[in-house]
Amino acid sequence: MNALAGLGVIILDEIVPPRAPWSHRVRKGQTLRIIDLEGNQSADFLMYATADDTERYSAQDTIAAQRNVYLREGSMLYSNEGNPMALITGTDVAYHDTIGGACSCESNTLRYGFHTHSHHACVENFLTANLRHGRGKRDMVSNINWFMNVPVEADGTLGIVDGISAPGLHVDLLAQMELTAVVSNCPQINNPCNAFNPTALRMVIAGQM
Ligand SMILES: [Zn+2]
């Protein structure tokens, strides 16, 4: 089956190699489809408003608005100004994470030992991608982890456990404002968020030019 059926006019169709950063403008009314090509690959994700990038994705506002910690089909993603940024119009993964955060050299060292300090991490990817838009470390906020499984237990305990995604599954985001989407194709190899084998993602933007 054509993986892009029903999306309308395809404006952009790109592969993000394993461990790489990516960013692109998404206009209001366009759909961004992220495809987990080989399964269980975390797509760490941020969004910034084009008009004023001090307005950006807010995990806290999104969780509070929907009174649920998981992102699912129908979830509205809110900014720190309380404005809708994007709507999850479809996904074939049961839920996605927005509380597990992005991996960094520092967190790798704390969790997995000093020998992992040199491992490439999502924070470096976010910094690299954001640099193209004039943003720095102060502009990094809590992110979304598409396709990553971070269950919250009844007592509030968090886990990063085996994924619930599979090859070819996707998430569709309908932009509610003009924004820049930023992705780190997560390089983590010390926990199961990428099935210990980082793989490629496919990014598709569709809709009117
Ligand atoms: Zn990562």
Side-chain angles (χ1 to χ4, degrees), residues 34 89 105 116 128 136 189 193 204:
I34 307 173
T89 51
C105 297
T116 64
T128 302
I189 53 170
C193 70
V204 179

Side-chain angles (χ1 to χ4, degrees), residues 182-203:
V182 179
V183 166
S184 166
N185 193 354
C186 181
Q188 183 61 264
I189 53 170
N190 300 293
N191 72 47
C193 70
N194 305 315
F196 300 101
N197 176 34
T199 51
L201 297 166
R202 184 178 179 186
M203 314 296 295

Side-chain angles (χ1 to χ4, degrees), residues 34-52:
I34 307 173
I35 304 173
D36 182 6
L37 288 171
E38 298 190 37
N40 293 330
Q41 175 58 46
S42 179
D44 289 44
F45 183 86
L46 291 171
M47 291 183 289
Y48 298 85
T50 302
D52 175 1

Side-chain angles (χ1 to χ4, degrees), residues 7-12 24-32 174-175 178 205-209:
L7 271 183
V9 178
I10 304 302
I11 295 161
L12 174 139
H24 206 278
R25 179 86 46 94
V26 186
R27 297 190 189 280
K28 183 177 180 179
Q30 292 180 341
T31 293
L32 170 63
L174 179 61
E178 184 165 315
I205 298 174
Q208 298 302 310
M209 296 288 272

